[in-house]
């Protein structure tokens, strides 16, 4: 199937991590060029070099407005365009509700929610005048159900990402830009290192498909949403969770 992504330019945030890395590789596999962005700039630059394409690695903190702008400027100055934004940067916390500090709360919202907003806002400044673009955000099952293994700060930030994505869809749709959200369930990445083993086993047992998902399975959905094959999918959230939660 031709996804129509050949020659397109994308930004993937959190691209040194499990899901972001799979998204970056999958987009390159479809012929796109990618700004590989991560807080870990060394890893981002190393990853960008591994596929021998025109990709560029950038160290950036998505919670910083100047860094968000710099990612978009990098896409435009390197590739002359920005067609796709995928926001995978995120931090996980499982702190029990009564011990979440105000600093932890602010830190989680800053990366997961404000970071998604800042990069999307910067991207739309370029996409809207061109009248085309695709934004795919990564929220979480936790934002739909409340935290199972995750803490309230994380779950609330991810529910915010869903609402933010729907708001972007309302604003940007009339300008020819699609915006959608992916809600992963439990996906086998370093982020699960923060999960208590017992909670992990119970959650897998409660998953109808009986296993964890892979980063590639999330990336396959992201690529579809970023492509011409999902041209009338808009303001949606797509669950990639093995049936753990259906709505
Ligand atoms: N793994 C799961 O089970 C799961 C489930 C639901 C949602 N998600 C979401 O998927 C996304 C990717 O998670 P993952 O599982 O690949 O985790 P990961 O920890 O492997 O990757 C996250 C990446 O984000 C980067 N990052 C963190 N803070 C950043 C910042 N301020 N600026 C830029 N980059 C930053 C990290 O350096 C890391 O490379 C996250 O938003 C996460 O919340 C993951």
């Amino acid at each position: 199937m031709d996804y129509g992504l050949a020659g397109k330019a994308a930004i993937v945030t959190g691209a040194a991590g499990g899901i972001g890395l799979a998204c970056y590789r999958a987009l390159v596999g479809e012929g796109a060029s990618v700004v590989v962005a991560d807080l870990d700039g060394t890893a981002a630059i190393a990853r960008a070099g591994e596929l021998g394409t025109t990709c560029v690695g950038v160290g950036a903190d998505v919670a910083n407005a100047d860094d968000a702008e710099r990612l978009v400027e990098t896409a435009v100055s390197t590739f002359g365009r920005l067609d796709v934004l995928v926001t995978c940067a995120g931090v996980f916390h499982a702190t029990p509700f009564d011990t979440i500090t105000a600093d932890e709360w602010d830190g989680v919202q800053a990366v997961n929610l404000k970071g998604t907003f800042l990069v999307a806002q910067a991207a739309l400044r370029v996409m809207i005048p061109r009248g085309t673009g695709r934004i795919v955000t990564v929220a979480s099952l936790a934002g739909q159900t409340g935290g199972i293994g995750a803490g309230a700060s994380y779950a609330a930030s991810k529910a915010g990402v869903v609402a933010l994505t729907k708001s972007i869809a309302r604003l940007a749709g009339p300008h020819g830009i699609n915006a959608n959200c992916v809600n992963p369930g439990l996906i086998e990445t370093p982020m699960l290192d923060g999960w208590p083993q017992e909670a992990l086993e119970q959650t897998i047992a409660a998953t109808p498909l009986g296993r964890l998902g892979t980063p590639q399975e999330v990336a396959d959905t992201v690529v579809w949403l970023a492509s011409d094959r999902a041209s009338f999918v808009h303001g949606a959230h797509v669950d990639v969770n093995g049936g753990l939660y259906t709505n």
Side-chain angles (χ1 to χ4, degrees):
M1 182 183 288
D2 180 10
Y3 282 112
L5 287 163
K8 299 277 176 72
I11 296 171
V12 179
T13 70
I19 293 171
L21 181 60
C23 290
Y24 146 59
R25 287 173 172 162
L27 287 165
V28 171
E30 296 300 324
S33 299
V34 179
V35 175
V36 179
D38 202 280
L39 189 61
D40 183 344
T42 306
I45 290 164
R47 293 303 194 185
E50 75 180 14
L51 296 182
T53 64
T54 55
C55 297
V56 56
V58 178
D61 179 355
V62 294
N64 179 297
D66 291 340
D67 282 13
E69 290 286 351
R70 189 161 49 82
L71 291 179
V72 174
E73 285 164 13
T74 301
V76 172
S77 63
T78 309
F79 308 128
R81 56 195 292 158
L82 175 62
D83 304 286
V84 174
L85 170 66
V86 180
T87 61
C88 292
V91 290
F92 177 80
H93 279 265
T95 312
F97 189 86
D98 57 349
T99 54
I100 297 171
T101 64
D103 281 350
E104 177 189 315
W105 180 272
D106 288 347
V108 173
Q109 310 313 316
V111 177
N112 294 0
L113 184 52
K114 186 175 80 173
T116 303
F117 158 69
L118 288 174
V119 182
Q121 186 188 52
L124 285 172
R125 289 193 184 113
V126 170
M127 290 177 174
I128 286 176
R130 289 186 65 221
T132 183
R134 299 270 193 271
I135 294 179
V136 186
T137 62
V138 178
S140 173
L141 169 75
Q144 300 171 286
T145 61
I148 302 173
S153 57
Y154 179 82
S157 73
K158 292 300 188 175
V161 170
V162 176
L164 171 66
T165 310
K166 291 180 178 180
S167 302
I168 292 169
R170 287 188 183 280
L171 163 84
H175 299 279
I177 294 149
N178 290 54
N180 293 288
C181 175
V182 175
N183 285 319
L186 262 67
I187 309 300
E188 210 164 356
T189 76
M191 192 166 275
L192 290 190
D193 295 348
W195 270 62
Q197 188 58 29
E198 196 183 343
L200 201 56
E201 286 168 11
Q202 285 171 356
T203 310
I204 292 169
T207 303
L209 290 184
R211 62 174 176 85
L212 301 175
T214 66
Q216 184 62 49
E217 288 173 313
V218 180
D220 287 342
T221 306
V222 167
V223 165
W224 171 65
L225 288 171
S227 80
D228 295 344
R229 302 281 77 80
S231 50
F232 204 54
V233 183
H234 186 58
H237 55 95
V238 179
D239 300 342
V240 185
N241 65 22
L244 179 57
Y245 174 73
T246 55
N247 66 350

